[in-house]
Amino acid sequence: MSTSNREAFYLKHEDELTKEKANITRRKNTIGWTRVGVFALGLWGVVTVWPETGSALLIGIAAIAIFLALLNYSMRLQDQVNMLSALIRIHQEEREIGNHRFSNRYNGDNLAPRQHEYSADLDIFGRASLFQYIHRTTSEQGHRHFASWLLSPAPNAAIKARQKAALELSNEPGWGIHYQAIGQQEPVGRSIEEKLGLWLSKSPEFFPKTGWKLLAAIFPFISLACLVMHIAGLMSAPLFYLLVLVFVVIAFSITKMVIPQYQALDKIVPQLNTLSGKLRWIESSSFSADQLVTLKQQLHPAGKPAASASITGLRKILDRFDYRLNPLVFLPLNTFLLWDLRQVLSLEKWKSVHSADIGKWFETMAEMEALNSIGRLAFNHPGWTFPVLTEEQGDYSGASIGHPLIPESTRVNNDFSTSGKPAIALITGSNMAGKSTFLRSIGVNQVLAMCGAPVCASTLTVSNMRIMSSMRIADNLEENASTFYAELSKLKSIIESVNRFEPVFLLLDEILRGTNSHDRHTGSRALVMQLIRHNACGMLATHDLALTSLVEDYPKAIRNYHFDVSVSGEELYFDYRLKEGVCKSMNASILMKKIGIEL
């Protein structure tokens, strides 16, 4: 599917959803007016037949029953309207993202590690970041799970499994859009998982004890028998009211003991509905990719009900707890039936059955959200490819490699290939010619490859390597660290990883820029030679043309590349094409003249 066809896909489905929403909204409005009519007719009927109480009661009950049935139907229609609204928003958002207007989306800035090997250099999080562009996660768990994929390479087996799952999801975009829409209704947060975790960590107080079970079974018979006897005139009012007082004391003494559990799980029902809906959507689907099949199977283990049904059971218990919000209903229920005791017994029984499952349910939801993100990326970019993984060391070979965050209309792609160790690509070039962008293109695509996502290239074969970069260095006033010291700290980490022969791919941009030119050249030359001695691989962008002479000493380990510029008068023209060899044209003097420096 081309870019224009993708745009047409979202536009077509958005139009269909908008029409469906309008139809259901009209039906809902009709039901609303019908409810008003039923209420008016019921009231008129009761007034007309009064004082025939039997007929009036019959008409009133019938009117109330019809009214409640219509109300229930109207609420179901509203749920459909809410879902359609979410689906429409997603289609609109996808068209905006396709036009590279996505800066208003959640950017994961709070997920960015304070210190990381490449996150800041490659714009993984924050405004106009990779995460902001490609995530389709809706829960906090999903955000964090997908962020973890972008922050560290997965093993090859996991990458291949994710690729197959993402490819299958990319062929069913409607499935993933619906899954995302469910999550947007009431996004699941970490608070619900923390509340459930805290509740699960506490020992049950009621369920395992036989006495509480017997009390819950016997008490209603006694209390209701007293009520029937009083109504039948077999028990005097003073005795009955005295017994009711005893019932109240017993019931609300138990309520006082139950309240902490109720408060521990207060206000989680809306998010439980979302979690249940997302898991039900997975359970009801058919998959062929191994990872998707495994996720589905985890939701319905042998001998237990499906996860969505279990969560619905918990929600119903909590809904019954909420009867306390209506005193006219709760007071008689608790007084005569020990309502709170019955619910807490059900709650703790649920805990005993599902305590080991809850964590898996959240993990499954988050995993599917992450897979849905890379599946949508594959659908939206049919010209991209899933990379081939190789067991060879230091392999990075691709054609038409581009930066994913640059619009296709302005993006310039380049071919690049390196294999084996040691291998250092020295890249020289004019200012603004594209050196840093190219390094980031290489790095970001390696990050995508290592998380199982498609890459912005026509072909790409890579080894399993972790990116380590030194590109965007800033001082740290809080830690009293200068820019130069901050860069040295980063280079120290790189050297240590290389010395341990870890599988890393280095991206170094204008290193040691915070010192004088002599020390900078001496240090850069020494570092390149040290990296070669320790079988490192990577790229170094530099303005220091003297470094390029190292190819004479290490012809098998070093290759020179460059980006150049064409000059016409005082105008500069860039083609952003990677070429072999050393750059011969520089533009700094022209740029300095343009800002008013008299040379």
Side-chain angles (χ1 to χ4, degrees):
M1 181 181 289
S2 66
T3 301
S4 58
N5 288 340
R6 179 203 62 208
E7 173 84 7
F9 169 87
Y10 288 121
L11 197 58
K12 175 177 177 291
H13 284 79
E14 180 188 335
D15 183 59
E16 292 172 353
L17 292 166
T18 301
K19 291 177 180 177
E20 185 179 356
K21 178 184 174 182
N23 290 334
I24 294 177
T25 300
R26 283 194 294 270
R27 197 187 317 164
K28 178 177 173 292
N29 292 338
T30 301
I31 295 298
W33 284 110
T34 304
R35 292 206 318 269
V36 173
V38 168
F39 177 81
L41 284 173
L43 183 61
W44 176 81
V46 169
V47 171
T48 300
V49 302
W50 192 264
E52 295 182 19
T53 55
S55 299
L57 183 62
L58 185 62
I59 292 173
I61 291 174
I64 291 172
I66 295 172
F67 182 89
L68 292 176
L70 290 173
L71 178 62
N72 184 56
Y73 182 49
S74 180
M75 292 173 66
R76 293 202 305 272
L77 290 177
Q78 184 60 51
D79 289 341
Q80 294 180 41
V81 169
N82 293 341
M83 173 58 74
L84 288 168
S85 297
L87 290 169
I88 291 168
R89 285 195 302 271
I90 291 172
H91 282 77
Q92 292 171 341
E93 183 183 56
E94 289 295 344
R95 292 196 294 112
E96 289 292 297
I97 295 171
N99 292 314
H100 276 258
R101 294 191 292 266
F102 58 91
S103 60
N104 61 321
R105 306 186 75 230
Y106 171 63
N107 61 29
D109 200 36
N110 62 310
L111 304 176
R114 187 175 180 183
Q115 300 290 335
H116 190 261
E117 294 165 334
Y118 57 79
S119 175
D121 287 340
L122 301 184
D123 301 307
I124 302 300
F125 302 103
R127 190 177 185 279
S129 65
L130 185 68
F131 179 88
Q132 187 178 39
Y133 182 61
I134 66 177
H135 87 83
R136 299 300 186 271
T137 51
T138 57
S139 66
E140 288 187 44
Q141 292 86 344
H143 295 330
R144 291 180 178 276
H145 193 71
F146 187 52
S148 71
W149 285 13
L150 297 175
L151 290 172
S152 60
N156 280 1
I159 293 172
K160 292 176 181 178
R162 291 175 190 173
Q163 288 179 346
K164 291 179 181 178
L167 182 60
E168 181 173 342
L169 292 176
S170 72
N171 291 325
E172 297 290 342
W175 188 95
I177 290 171
H178 192 94
Y179 184 73
Q180 184 182 351
I182 296 172
Q184 288 185 352
Q185 301 293 299
E186 184 71 36
V188 177
R190 295 184 70 193
S191 61
I192 179 178
E193 191 170 2
E194 290 168 354
K195 283 185 175 182
L196 286 169
L198 183 61
W199 172 61
L200 290 172
S201 67
K202 295 181 179 179
S203 301
E205 300 177 22
F206 296 89
F207 177 68
K209 300 177 182 178
T210 306
W212 290 116
K213 296 179 183 178
L214 288 174
L215 181 61
I218 296 172
F219 186 93
F221 286 105
I222 297 174
S223 61
L224 292 175
C226 292
L227 177 62
V228 171
M229 291 172 66
H230 174 64
I231 293 173
L234 301 176
M235 180 180 290
S236 65
L239 178 58
F240 174 71
Y241 291 129
L242 177 62
L243 289 174
V244 168
L245 180 61
V246 173
F247 298 157
V248 168
V249 171
I250 294 172
F252 285 88
S253 295
I254 295 172
T255 291
K256 187 176 180 180
M257 300 169 63
V258 170
I259 282 293
Q261 292 208 50
Y262 170 75
Q263 291 176 335
L265 301 178
D266 189 27
K267 298 179 181 178
I268 69 169
V269 168
Q271 293 185 48
L272 280 180
N273 285 334
T274 298
L275 178 61
S276 176
K278 299 197 80 168
L279 299 187
R280 187 181 300 109
W281 189 242
I282 298 172
E283 293 164 356
S284 64
S285 304
S286 297
F287 301 113
S288 58
D290 290 343
Q291 189 164 4
L292 299 178
V293 171
T294 299
L295 289 175
K296 179 180 177 180
Q297 290 174 342
Q298 288 176 352
L299 298 179
H300 203 162
K304 288 187 178 182
S308 62
S310 300
I311 296 169
T312 299
L314 175 60
R315 179 186 59 78
K316 288 180 178 179
I317 295 171
L318 296 177
D319 281 341
R320 293 196 295 269
F321 258 125
D322 281 340
Y323 286 3
R324 67 181 58 254
L325 302 178
N326 187 337
L328 294 178
V329 174
F330 177 67
L331 286 174
L333 283 177
N334 203 39
T335 299
F336 290 97
L337 301 179
L338 292 183
W339 190 255
D340 273 346
L341 177 60
R342 301 175 76 84
Q343 304 321 310
V344 80
L345 286 171
S346 297
L347 192 62
E348 291 191 349
K349 181 180 179 181
W350 190 95
K351 179 198 285 190
S352 69
V353 175
H354 298 293
S355 59
D357 301 326
I358 293 178
K360 296 177 184 177
W361 296 340
F362 284 105
E363 289 173 6
T364 299
M365 174 195 68
E367 181 84 2
M368 187 61 82
E369 287 186 13
L371 289 171
N372 191 38
S373 295
I374 59 177
R376 190 77 52 79
L377 186 67
F379 172 75
N380 286 340
H381 297 280
W384 294 14
T385 187
F386 285 100
V388 176
L389 302 175
T390 176
E391 299 299 328
E392 300 296 326
Q393 293 189 352
D395 201 350
Y396 193 111
S397 303
S400 296
I401 303 168
H403 198 297
L405 299 182
I406 297 177
E408 185 177 356
S409 58
T410 57
R411 184 172 62 230
V412 177
N413 298 334
N414 283 287
D415 299 343
F416 178 76
S417 179
T418 182
S419 61
K421 292 183 176 183
I424 302 295
L426 294 179
I427 303 177
T428 53
S430 307
N431 294 289
M432 304 187 303
K435 300 187 302 299
S436 298
T437 299
F438 179 66
L439 262 63
R440 289 191 172 91
S441 300
I442 296 295
V444 169
N445 280 298
Q446 180 69 8
V447 170
L448 288 174
M450 292 298 96
C451 80
V455 295
C456 183
S458 60
T459 63
L460 186 65
T461 300
V462 296
S463 304
N464 194 308
M465 299 179 290
R466 184 175 85 253
I467 293 292
M468 295 192 76
S469 64
S470 179
M471 301 179 68
R472 187 180 287 149
I473 307 297
D475 57 7
N476 191 321
L477 296 178
E478 183 180 347
E479 297 180 2
N480 195 28
S482 68
T483 302
F484 184 62
Y485 184 78
E487 182 178 16
L488 290 180
S489 298
K490 205 162 191 182
L491 291 176
K492 180 175 182 290
S493 298
I494 290 173
I495 291 169
E496 290 173 347
S497 293
V498 170
N499 289 347
R500 291 192 295 266
F501 300 101
E502 295 177 3
V504 295
F505 192 85
L506 310 180
L507 300 175
L508 309 177
D509 190 10
E510 298 295 341
I511 59 173
L512 304 177
R513 69 192 76 178
T515 188
N516 64 78
S517 58
H518 178 268
D519 287 345
R520 177 181 181 181
H521 171 75
T522 302
S524 298
R525 183 182 179 88
L527 177 61
V528 172
M529 294 168 64
Q530 182 176 342
L531 294 176
I532 291 172
R533 288 197 302 272
H534 288 84
N535 285 328
C537 62
M539 315 174 80
L540 188 152
T542 181
H543 285 289
D544 187 353
L545 298 182
L547 287 179
T548 61
S549 63
L550 284 170
V551 72
E552 298 172 5
D553 299 322
Y554 303 98
K556 294 183 179 180
I558 292 179
R559 292 182 68 181
N560 284 317
Y561 297 90
H562 72 279
F563 290 90
D564 60 17
V565 58
S566 299
V567 181
S568 177
E570 292 190 355
E571 295 301 321
L572 305 175
Y573 300 94
F574 303 98
D575 63 6
Y576 305 111
R577 295 291 183 184
L578 181 70
K579 305 174 181 69
E580 292 198 25
V582 181
C583 181
K584 302 299 182 183
S585 59
M586 296 296 176
N587 62 3
S589 59
I590 296 175
L591 293 173
M592 287 186 282
K593 286 180 181 179
K594 279 181 172 290
I595 66 167
I597 297 178
E598 299 177 359
L599 298 178

